Amino acid sequence: MRTNRVILFLLTLLLIAAVPASAQWIPCLGDSATGGAWTAPDLPTIPELVSTGGKLHATVVLTDEQQRLTFKTPPNAAPSDTNVIKCAPQYVRVFKGIGAMPPLPKTTGDYPDPMPGPTLRARLGDMIELTFLNQINPANFGDSIDRGDVNTGSGCDESSNGYPNKAGGGKDTYPDCFHGSSTANIHFHGTHTNPNSTGDNVFIEIRPSMRTGGKPVVTAASVATPFSDFFQRCERELGANVLSLWPHTWKDLPSAYTTRQEELLKKYDMTPNIKKLWPVDAAQIKRGDWPQYYMGAYPYCYQIPKYTDTVFPPPASTTEHMGHTGGPLSPPPQKPLQMGQSPGLHWYHAHKHGSTAIDVGNGMTGAFVIEGQYDDDFDKFYGAGWTRRQPVLVINQIGVTPNLERGKNGTNRVDKGPDFSVNGRLRPVMKMQRGEVKLWRIVNTSGRAGTHIMGMYTQAGQPAVDASGKPLFTYYQTAQDGVQFSPTNFGSPGFTNNQFLLAAGNRADLLVQAPMTPGVYNFMAKNEVDPSDLPGQNLVTLFSVNVTESTATGNAAKLMTTAPTFPPFLQDIQKAEVKGTKEVTFSTGPTFGEHRINHKKFDGEVGELVLLNTVEEWKVVNETFGPAISHPFHIHINPFQVTEVFDPNAALSSSAGPGTLTSTGTTTVTGTGTSFGTLRTGTVLSIPGQGFYTVLSVQSDTSLTLTGAGPTVTNSAYSINVPQYVFVNSPAPLPGQCYLNPTDPSTWKPCSSVPQPPAATPPSSTNNIWWDVFPIPSGITVTWANANTQKIPGYFKLRSRFVDYSGYYVIHCHILAHEDRGMMTVVEVAPAASPYSHD
Amino acid sequence: MPDWSIKIVQSSSGDGAEFIPDLKGKTAGDPLECMVDDLVTWNNTTEEEHQPWPADNSYTALPNDQVLPRGGPNYLSDIIPAGGSSRPSYDVAQPASAPATWTVYYICALHPYVESERGTIIGNTY
């Protein structure tokens, strides 16, 4: 026995010696201890906090811990299922739900694996009462400060790679830079509620609790009494009037809490070399505004409004509106609730300006299921409690410090962000019975890439179809961004087994039926920041489905064909309802990496002003001209409908080009294995990660000239796009193409042959989709005779009802590094019209 | 691209401090092994200020002209207050002409003669 032990010891030493010096990698979940194949992990169920008795009364703790994170190596490898994945213990900031069930899966290594924040589950009409605690130990991360403290540097996070200077070519400056990463708040994405005070307020900043003896001084116990008092009063105030914006002022919070907060903030302000926080709060309180800074704890309290009228618009009411958050104006007579909260899959995430990208990347996201008749109707068909057993699938790109703070000139940066995880796992496996139907509730919480859903594939990477080419799985989309589809769209061919984009922030519900053929199938996607990325992207597995031998029976094996009851307030917005128009411009440039709205970086000032209870139509413009980025537009509080999309880069047809091409940033492109001779002038080459380039002339099968400077690429894949839009009349446009005059902006819009979202036509139309995130088509630089150039922006038009809740919220790009760095502005919804009238 | 934290803790002998990679099983004196362009920060758990500063392989502080300006590629951190963490973050950049594996030696600039206040970071290319 002793001899065996000695041999084992020596073998262990040899094994250790054989491992080359490298990072502190550790075995990943699913790695074989004996060097065998990796085993895909099971899809875990995310613990839930569920409302009872009409309220979601719970505690969410923001803490930090070392988790086992995955990294592709090398980091700049394109996303792929075949990349080498390594794991390392990493400090991350994460949400935990006290008492959330089921318990977290058992840790199988030295460090826990990632898990989204607890799924919040409530019902229309419920009160949301969340005790939010920030117990991060900020010293486990690099120093990251709140108020642009300049004594020790720029006020931004800093790195020895030079950040914040030369960030993407320019320079980031406070407050539009990465900073204050352990300070947090929660945005309840998709909720239609009070945007102020203790509602969906993203302007507040809750610092980590100060610590004594290594322990936070602000705890659940220390705020229990004042928060309990507060929640009880909140129930009374909002219970009496769902449209109340209570609490209005700092004095509406319990004095035990506000006094302690003042003490803590003043104590924090004694820290050397920082800008003080309490004077900011004090000035805001004096003005009657809601204060910005808090220490360790915050009570979120708001109601999920339930629309109870059977018609839309609702009959008028004489109730007085008492909701304005401040200001001298008398509130106008209150209208009844104009729109309810849509029941569906919503979500929540960190939204403190300057740290959304890193915090969301760390994993500070979670699903928020709001139940209603939509769920009841599914349960009526599939059985009681069915919807609660359906998989909630939280996609994220989990990682640590953003690319801009590391490496030089793009080296060793992560291409397209970290790999997609689902419920904290890479490529997990879900089980389904043969023929079983499930409702997949998917949210892309990534702060960067869109997930372009490609559909079901076999393990061999082929589309999962039978011998006749019919898909083995059937799925149809039943909701978008937490808003159910209308009966017209429910189960329609256009939304069945379709490929679609889940941009960062988007959600989709899919009603899915498994095939009768057992086996393991992959639900696959591509990374997309812009449609031009797609041709060069690999298929990656989001998750797999293991179809077992057992067979589903009864309704569990039937796709429900009748749409859930459609709430009246979701009927399409009619053109006649529109009372105002706006144009909002997102732009990247002139230096790449400078992101703005209306040519201005975020500064806290109001960028758009809307009158409460009016309907507006906005033209949302993208003046990004390369590399192409379809910035995902997001607005808080109210969803919108899209009525027009103009994508000047749209393709009439697209196909992968043969061979590869090389260009050094000049007009000349050389090919290897190409057949350029077949290309027509005006054809567009789409180059992954680079954008679109128009062919000016063709010299040979391996040489052509572009209309402007080309990309800098070597042996790159590319696709050949026959463009939808052409900007020269000679040669004549192909059938289906549209000519737009580059010198006449009035022609820069979709032509009649391009399908558009269903127009909202009277008397009523209910087949347009509701969104809260929509990618704005990128712009294009076109060149024509005599080398004239013109930049033509992309755009879409939205209509939204700015109803029910006045106050301040934001629009921003949901590529969160763009938001942190300036691509956000404030929307003010004012409760009263101008006092002037000429009637 | 991982981030790493190194704890600055009171020395077990009671004099001065020690640097310990904040990973299970690591002890004072262990190197932090990482990949090129990983980020490293220091977490000062002691009641004194410290400042990681690059050194040569005999733990002699590199002169200012090889380290400054602040925020340059060899600059490890400002002075870290008691209970605080480092700034800027240190990007483990591969020095020019360095081999595929290289070592960054560092000391505490405020206590350069305290032998326990020494550490190493081993960088690797992919």
Side-chain angles (χ1 to χ4, degrees):
Chain A
M1 179 65 86
R2 180 180 166 77
T3 307
N4 286 345
R5 282 186 181 163
V6 170
I7 291 170
L8 187 62
F9 176 71
L10 290 173
L11 279 172
T12 306
L13 278 183
L14 279 171
L15 276 173
I16 291 169
V19 176
S22 64
Q24 318 280 179
W25 303 121
I26 56 175
C28 297
L29 179 64
D31 276 354
S32 163
T34 57
W38 175 75
T39 305
D42 290 338
L43 177 76
T45 299
I46 303 167
E48 296 196 354
L49 295 169
V50 183
S51 73
T52 55
K55 58 187 173 189
L56 177 57
H57 185 87
T59 299
V60 173
V61 180
L62 173 58
T63 184
D64 65 282
E65 66 180 13
Q66 284 181 304
Q67 293 183 343
R68 174 166 56 180
L69 263 53
T70 59
F71 296 88
K72 61 183 174 185
T73 58
N76 54 3
S80 165
D81 283 358
T82 59
N83 280 334
V84 176
I85 302 296
K86 295 189 175 181
C87 289
Q90 295 286 283
Y91 274 108
V92 287
R93 306 162 179 90
V94 289
F95 292 128
K96 305 269 187 182
I98 301 297
M101 294 298 285
L104 291 166
K106 270 192 173 173
T107 298
T108 58
D110 286 338
Y111 301 90
D113 295 292
M115 177 62 74
T119 295
L120 308 179
R121 191 180 285 274
R123 192 167 175 89
L124 297 182
D126 280 356
M127 296 291 305
I128 306 301
E129 302 172 2
L130 290 183
T131 294
F132 175 59
L133 301 173
N134 185 346
Q135 299 193 335
I136 290 173
N137 179 1
N140 286 326
F141 306 89
D143 184 36
S144 187
I145 49 185
D146 294 309
R147 275 203 63 208
D149 317 53
V150 292
N151 290 346
T152 55
S154 64
C156 303
D157 287 355
E158 296 175 319
S159 159
S160 65
N161 84 330
Y163 186 84
N165 293 322
K166 296 178 183 172
K171 178 179 180 176
D172 281 359
T173 54
Y174 178 84
D176 297 309
C177 61
F178 301 124
H179 71 277
S181 300
S182 293
T183 302
N185 59 27
I186 302 178
H187 166 45
F188 301 92
H189 185 132
T191 56
H192 175 66
T193 192
N194 174 13
N196 312 289
S197 59
T198 61
D200 185 24
N201 179 354
V202 296
F203 300 113
I204 55 169
E205 305 192 5
I206 302 141
R207 275 198 55 81
S209 169
M210 301 178 88
R211 302 174 89 84
T212 299
K215 305 277 186 192
V217 298
V218 181
T219 64
S222 75
V223 296
T225 300
F227 280 16
S228 175
D229 294 345
F230 174 72
F231 290 138
Q232 285 178 35
R233 179 158 177 216
C234 190
E235 285 175 29
R236 290 196 301 273
E237 295 281 348
L238 305 192
N241 178 8
V242 68
L243 292 171
S244 168
L245 301 182
W246 193 90
H248 305 289
T249 71
W250 175 249
K251 286 184 177 171
D252 289 332
L253 293 169
S255 60
Y257 171 68
T258 54
T259 303
R260 181 65 172 148
Q261 284 291 306
E262 183 175 344
E263 285 172 9
L264 289 167
L265 287 164
K266 285 178 173 173
K267 191 172 178 188
Y268 170 78
D269 285 347
M270 294 166 69
T271 310
N273 296 330
I274 61 152
K275 282 190 177 175
K276 299 183 191 314
L277 304 183
W278 175 252
V280 178
D281 277 9
Q284 289 168 324
I285 292 166
K286 193 174 175 186
R287 288 198 303 268
D289 294 339
W290 194 258
Q292 181 171 340
Y293 293 107
Y294 301 83
M295 183 72 71
Y298 193 77
Y300 283 102
C301 186
Y302 58 93
Q303 191 171 18
I304 305 289
K306 180 179 181 180
Y307 190 90
T308 54
D309 281 301
T310 55
V311 295
F312 181 86
S317 159
T318 55
T319 316
E320 289 300 306
H321 194 314
M322 301 302 291
H324 188 38
T325 51
L329 297 176
S330 297
Q334 183 188 26
K335 285 191 170 186
L337 189 69
Q338 298 295 294
M339 286 186 74
Q341 170 70 53
S342 293
L345 177 64
H346 302 284
W347 65 295
Y348 65 97
H349 63 90
H351 206 304
K352 204 280 296 173
H353 181 61
S355 61
T356 59
I358 190 169
D359 288 346
V360 163
N362 272 194
M364 285 171 62
T365 72
F368 188 1
V369 179
I370 298 178
E371 297 177 336
Q373 191 65 43
Y374 176 75
D375 304 78
D376 297 347
D377 287 354
F378 275 121
D379 287 346
K380 205 177 295 174
F381 185 83
Y382 288 111
W386 182 81
T387 49
R388 289 199 173 188
R389 297 191 297 273
Q390 300 313 297
V392 173
L393 303 162
V394 176
I395 300 170
N396 200 351
Q397 294 179 288
I398 297 175
V400 284
T401 305
N403 275 342
L404 285 172
E405 295 188 43
R406 62 176 85 243
K408 289 278 186 187
N409 305 320
T411 57
N412 295 319
R413 291 177 174 176
V414 186
D415 180 42
K416 297 280 182 295
D419 288 337
F420 292 126
S421 64
V422 179
N423 296 0
R425 305 289 185 271
L426 275 191
R427 309 196 287 273
V429 182
M430 170 201 300
K431 280 187 181 154
M432 288 180 80
Q433 291 181 300
R434 297 195 307 163
E436 185 184 12
V437 173
K438 281 191 173 179
L439 184 68
W440 295 353
R441 317 198 76 174
I442 311 173
V443 50
N444 182 8
T445 74
S446 305
R448 187 169 182 194
T451 310
H452 196 103
I453 302 294
M454 299 299 289
M456 300 300 307
Y457 285 72
T458 66
Q459 292 286 285
Q462 299 301 312
V465 294
D466 66 15
S468 67
K470 186 181 173 221
L472 292 174
F473 282 77
T474 301
Y475 62 84
Y476 51 81
Q477 191 175 350
T478 64
Q480 174 72 44
D481 289 356
V483 185
Q484 66 197 75
F485 273 9
S486 69
T488 312
N489 290 336
F490 187 90
S492 72
F495 298 105
T496 301
N497 285 11
N498 55 328
Q499 297 179 349
F500 61 97
L501 172 67
L502 280 175
N506 278 141
R507 289 87 75 203
D509 285 359
L510 299 181
L511 196 62
V512 184
Q513 183 164 33
M516 294 303 289
T517 311
V520 178
Y521 304 87
N522 296 337
F523 191 55
M524 304 198 83
K526 289 185 173 186
N527 291 54
E528 176 184 335
V529 173
D530 185 84
S532 60
D533 297 328
L534 287 177
Q537 289 297 303
N538 300 309
L539 284 166
V540 295
T541 300
L542 274 183
F543 57 89
S544 299
V545 181
N546 181 4
V547 179
T548 61
E549 294 288 347
S550 60
T551 305
T553 56
N555 278 7
K558 291 178 186 165
L559 281 165
M560 192 169 93
T561 54
T562 306
T565 309
F566 195 61
F569 65 86
L570 290 177
Q571 69 174 257
D572 286 356
I573 302 175
Q574 310 295 312
K575 191 168 187 179
E577 291 179 67
V578 174
K579 300 298 181 198
T581 60
K582 285 186 172 54
E583 183 164 314
V584 184
T585 301
F586 285 54
S587 58
T588 293
T591 304
F592 183 66
E594 301 270 326
H595 308 290
R596 295 178 171 87
I597 293 179
N598 294 338
H599 308 108
K600 187 178 168 186
K601 290 189 179 182
F602 177 72
D603 59 4
E605 296 296 316
V606 172
E608 303 295 344
L609 178 63
V610 182
L611 184 63
L612 180 65
N613 292 328
T614 58
V615 175
E616 294 212 348
E617 181 170 278
W618 291 10
K619 182 179 180 182
V620 185
V621 177
N622 188 348
E623 291 185 353
T624 301
F625 299 105
I629 305 171
S630 293
H631 297 287
F633 167 91
H634 173 49
I635 186 166
H636 293 198
I637 305 297
N638 294 294
F640 57 84
Q641 295 190 301
V642 174
T643 56
E644 185 174 314
V645 180
F646 174 57
D647 179 1
N649 297 291
L652 187 62
S653 66
S654 180
S655 57
T660 59
L661 51 77
T662 297
S663 172
T664 56
T666 65
T667 57
T668 304
V669 171
T670 57
T672 302
T674 49
S675 50
F676 292 156
T678 62
L679 300 181
R680 172 187 165 102
T681 299
T683 297
V684 174
L685 303 182
S686 169
I687 300 167
Q690 301 292 316
F692 302 94
Y693 300 88
T694 306
V695 175
L696 180 65
S697 61
V698 174
Q699 286 78 52
S700 69
D701 271 351
T702 57
S703 177
L704 58 75
T705 303
L706 301 172
T707 55
T712 301
V713 292
T714 303
N715 294 328
S716 172
Y718 66 104
S719 66
I720 299 166
N721 295 350
V722 176
Q724 176 69 65
Y725 299 103
V726 292
F727 301 92
V728 291
N729 255 335
S730 177
L734 294 167
Q737 281 186 324
C738 308
Y739 167 71
L740 305 183
N741 184 343
T743 64
D744 181 2
S746 71
T747 68
W748 302 351
K749 58 188 179 185
C751 60
S752 57
S753 63
V754 178
Q756 291 294 305
T761 52
S764 80
S765 174
T766 56
N767 60 343
N768 216 347
I769 294 171
W770 291 86
W771 309 78
D772 60 39
V773 174
F774 195 85
I776 323 165
S778 198
I780 190 172
T781 302
V782 297
T783 306
W784 68 100
N786 303 321
N788 292 316
T789 62
Q790 179 64 52
K791 293 181 188 304
I792 298 176
Y795 71 82
F796 75 90
K797 287 185 179 177
L798 67 82
R799 289 180 194 161
S800 185
R801 298 186 177 115
F802 293 85
V803 294
D804 299 326
Y805 298 102
S806 60
Y808 300 89
Y809 45 95
V810 291
I811 56 174
H812 62 89
C813 175
H814 227 289
I815 296 174
L816 294 174
H818 296 180
E819 187 269 282
D820 284 333
R821 301 173 61 218
M823 201 172 242
M824 179 162 82
T825 195
V826 176
V827 177
E828 178 183 357
V829 177
S834 158
Y836 173 77
S837 170
H838 55 220
D839 286 343
Chain B
M1 300 293 291
D3 293 349
W4 306 101
S5 176
I6 297 172
K7 275 192 168 175
I8 306 173
V9 301
Q10 193 61 39
S11 167
S12 49
S13 68
D15 290 332
E18 296 172 335
F19 300 113
I20 306 176
D22 191 356
L23 296 161
K24 287 185 178 168
K26 295 294 180 186
T27 58
D30 285 347
L32 173 70
E33 295 181 19
C34 52
M35 305 302 291
V36 60
D37 292 324
D38 284 359
L39 293 183
V40 178
T41 57
W42 282 264
N43 170 0
N44 182 5
T45 69
T46 75
E47 295 179 356
E48 288 186 43
E49 293 180 335
H50 296 279
Q51 185 180 26
W53 189 269
D56 63 19
N57 59 9
S58 62
Y59 293 101
T60 301
L62 295 185
N64 284 352
D65 63 0
Q66 291 182 36
V67 179
L68 299 175
R70 176 184 184 279
N74 293 329
Y75 190 81
L76 302 184
S77 173
D78 298 339
I79 293 172
I80 311 171
S85 60
S86 62
R87 145 181 296 264
S89 299
Y90 173 57
D91 178 319
V92 186
Q94 184 180 19
S97 72
T101 296
W102 68 98
T103 302
V104 176
Y105 299 87
Y106 67 91
I107 61 171
C108 174
L110 307 184
H111 313 104
Y113 304 111
V114 178
E115 290 195 1
S116 63
E117 295 188 20
R118 295 174 175 177
T120 53
I121 297 168
I122 298 175
N124 297 273
T125 56
Y126 283 98

